[in-house]
């Protein structure tokens, strides 16, 4: 059973701080990794995708991937109250089209 | 980005009835669509992979006779929950990629099903 693990939180940070979200995965064959943001009662929205080891930056978001450690993270700089949501880590299984999702980390950014 | 339209947004039905959920790709052709289910405070669980013109592939533990999937065209996939029961109450979400080899998955807005 391939798994994607996330700390369910809740993670609470003050406005303007850096929020750090972590994810580990079990399938060493995985090549594609994604972070989705999901507001309550809504469908997920793609935030970042990353395929290679290292960092990938997009605006206030930075995704980090370490395949050797089977670890992927998302940093949100200058956190805003509008960033308050559940963040889902998703991993594409090796040799498959399927995405396996973690349970998500609930982030609250306090004004 | 690509747009995936899902209807209805919410539905309440009586136990034993059937409910159909539609998923449309509005500005692209989707040869493959995915159907997920999400229970409260849980993650998205893949139910089945819907392939245009062929039978859907169901995940282990998902009853194919209960969750009927039809992908008759490149822009439309439907999920029918047959003989719904209260335990089928959940948030159902469809998704699709906007092109062969494109890794990004775009989601419909979801359908909240409540079975009384």
């Amino acid at each position: 059973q391939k798994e994607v693990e996330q700390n369910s939180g809740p993670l609470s940070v003050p406005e303007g701080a850096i929020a750090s979200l972590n994810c580990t995965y079990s399938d060493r064959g995985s090549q594609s990794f994604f972070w989705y943001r999901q507001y309550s009662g809504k469908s997920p929205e793609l935030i970042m995708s990353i395929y290679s080891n290292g960092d990938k930056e997009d605006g206030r978001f930075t995704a980090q991937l370490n395949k050797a450690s089977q670890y992927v993270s998302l940093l949100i700089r200058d956190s805003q109250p509008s960033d308050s949501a559940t963040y889902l880590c998703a991993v594409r299984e090796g040799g498959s089209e399927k995405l396996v999702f973690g349970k998500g980390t609930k982030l609250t950014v306090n004004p | 980005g690509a747009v995936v339209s899902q209807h209805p947004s919410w539905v309440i039905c009586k136990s034993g009835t059937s409910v159909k959920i539609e998923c449309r790709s509005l500005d692209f052709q989707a040869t493959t669509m995915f159907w997920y289910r999400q229970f409260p405070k849980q993650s998205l669980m893949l139910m089945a992979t819907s392939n245009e013109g062929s039978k859907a592939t169901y995940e282990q533990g998902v009853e194919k006779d209960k969750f009927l999937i039809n992908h008759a065209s490149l822009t439309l996939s439907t999920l029918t929950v047959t003989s719904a029961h209260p335990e089928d109450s959940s948030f159902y979400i469809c998704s699709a990629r906007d092109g062969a080899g494109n890794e990004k998955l775009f989601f419909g807005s979801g359908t909240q099903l409540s079975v009384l």
Side-chain angles (χ1 to χ4, degrees):
Chain A
Q1 178 75 18
K2 299 187 174 66
E3 296 180 344
V4 176
E5 300 286 344
Q6 292 181 255
N7 186 329
S8 62
L11 174 65
S12 183
V13 300
E15 184 174 357
I18 296 175
S20 177
L21 306 164
N22 305 314
C23 172
T24 59
Y25 59 94
S26 64
D27 181 16
R28 284 195 170 275
S30 299
Q31 297 295 322
S32 306
F33 308 87
F34 307 87
W35 283 99
Y36 286 84
R37 177 175 63 196
Q38 186 177 28
Y39 294 109
S40 181
K42 302 296 184 182
S43 62
E45 173 192 10
L46 182 65
I47 298 296
M48 290 282 288
S49 59
I50 187 166
Y51 309 105
S52 304
N53 281 329
D55 295 359
K56 179 182 177 182
E57 185 174 321
D58 183 0
R60 296 186 296 111
F61 299 96
T62 299
Q64 299 173 318
L65 174 62
N66 184 324
K67 291 184 180 180
S69 300
Q70 296 175 240
Y71 174 90
V72 59
S73 66
L74 179 70
L75 300 177
I76 306 175
R77 291 182 299 282
D78 188 24
S79 295
Q80 302 297 308
S82 58
D83 294 327
S84 299
T86 295
Y87 288 81
L88 302 171
C89 173
V91 176
R92 182 175 174 182
E93 293 183 346
S96 169
E97 289 193 82
K98 300 178 187 177
L99 276 189
V100 180
F101 285 83
K103 289 186 177 181
T105 298
K106 184 175 182 180
L107 171 67
T108 300
V109 181
N110 301 305
Chain B
V3 177
V4 176
S5 175
Q6 185 175 343
H7 295 280
S9 298
W10 57 270
V11 59
I12 301 174
C13 69
K14 293 182 178 180
S15 184
T17 61
S18 295
V19 174
K20 179 184 283 188
I21 302 170
E22 290 190 351
C23 182
R24 294 180 184 272
S25 56
L26 295 187
D27 51 1
F28 66 98
Q29 293 183 332
T31 54
T32 303
M33 290 186 177
F34 304 90
W35 286 95
Y36 288 85
R37 179 169 55 183
Q38 186 177 34
F39 292 106
K41 298 185 178 181
Q42 298 295 314
S43 186
L44 281 75
M45 297 300 296
L46 181 64
M47 298 176 66
T49 301
S50 168
N51 300 295
E52 186 268 335
S54 64
K55 292 182 179 180
T57 302
Y58 290 81
E59 294 300 300
Q60 189 175 8
V62 178
E63 300 175 59
K64 62 180 181 180
D65 295 330
K66 180 172 181 63
F67 299 99
L68 302 179
I69 291 174
N70 184 286
H71 195 157
S73 77
L74 287 171
T75 58
L76 174 64
S77 177
T78 61
L79 168 67
T80 301
V81 183
T82 63
S83 186
H85 288 94
E87 57 265 31
D88 298 323
S89 299
S90 185
F91 191 52
Y92 292 85
I93 313 175
C94 69
S95 64
R97 290 195 178 89
D98 67 353
N102 191 327
E103 292 277 2
K104 296 180 182 179
L105 203 60
F106 295 93
F107 285 87
S109 55
T111 298
Q112 182 64 52
L113 171 64
S114 297
V115 184
L116 304 178

